[in-house]
Amino acid sequence: MPPVSVLPVADRPAAAQALLPPAPPRIVGPDGLPLLGRHAGSLQGCDWHRLAPPYRHGAPWRFLHHKRWHYVALSAPEMFCAVALVDLGWFTTCFAWAFERTEGDMLANFAQDGWPGRLSGRLADDGLGISRFARAGVTIELGPDGLALRSPWLEVDAAFGPAAAPALVAAGLVPGGGVHATQKSGCLALSGEVRTWRGEHPLAGGTASIDYSNGLLPRETAWRWASAHDGDLGFNLGTGYFGANENALWLDGALHPLAAARFLHDHQDPMAPWRLFTEDDCLDLVFTPQAARREERRLRSARIAASRYVQPFGTYSGWVRATSDAPKRMVAQLAGVTEQHFARW
């Protein structure tokens, strides 16, 4: 794949402001204990084999429970594109979709599984690394500086510039005795292009957001998620196995932690409007879906592995604010996604 030309991370200007403590140099401390909580910066040192009691597990347990994913959303005036690489331990997989906003058409939507093990791909060990996938004509390279994707249905060359605000790093305990960590990078300057059968679609002037997650997860894991970003405003909300750990608002160059989120929507009809709000009275939005990527899978028997997944794309309207006594910032037609997901893995 041709190289993606962007500013090296070390050469980017410092993000404007973080209201959270700086991220530690390693998420597993020298005493073998995970450094739980929310931080600003980069997720590093997800070396779960170094965990000490009561978080320590043997190698077979870690192999079965260690999951990683690397996801990026590209939001531009003409196009919204999402790409993900997933490492389940016993195999890797990926998906990508591209929605043309001006015409309201889904121009590409595909998934590709890798060979057993990690023969087809390798995900980054932390939020600063590069994840790769290659099989059956699909090649993907995703890192903090950009994305390069080739497939029969979709090609992407995207470069990520300086972020308007620091990334969120969150680590917490999850059901079943596991630990999970994530880095959410939002409000990243975007350039490049997406190519589909309909032609070339510029990304200049758009915004990228990245989700890197790495953890020891329960056999059955479920969540709801919401994310949207533009140049100076963005948010990430989750509920389910990870609780409120990853809830955050990016506003005018600052990263603000948010309280627990409520998702009000029709589980049977994800294309109906969603309402989302946080318990600290800092966010209240209505999401109007326009399209969705759906997938339901079973590996031979649902008792072995299964996944039910839907990720609607649409726009958010409502308001956000940095604190409960701050003036409300109105939000209108902010492009983003929601998601509901159940996995038995």
Side-chain angles (χ1 to χ4, degrees), residues 103-129:
E103 299 293 333
D105 291 337
M106 187 73 80
L107 300 184
N109 183 0
F110 72 89
Q112 176 63 56
D113 290 339
W115 294 107
R118 290 167 176 159
L119 298 175
S120 301
R122 176 75 187 188
L123 265 73
D125 292 323
D126 56 34
L128 295 177

Side-chain angles (χ1 to χ4, degrees), residues 233 235 249 251 258 275-278 280-286 316-332:
L233 187 156
F235 66 88
L249 171 69
L251 186 63
L258 294 176
R275 184 186 171 206
L276 294 81
F277 63 91
T278 55
D280 54 11
D281 198 30
C282 288
L283 179 149
D284 196 330
L285 298 169
V286 173
Y316 287 91
S317 297
W319 56 265
V320 300
R321 56 185 172 182
T323 62
S324 60
D325 56 356
K328 295 177 180 178
R329 173 74 67 86
M330 302 310 296
V331 176

Side-chain angles (χ1 to χ4, degrees), residues 22 52 140 198 253 269 300:
I140 303 174
R198 191 174 284 178
D269 183 12
R300 293 190 178 180

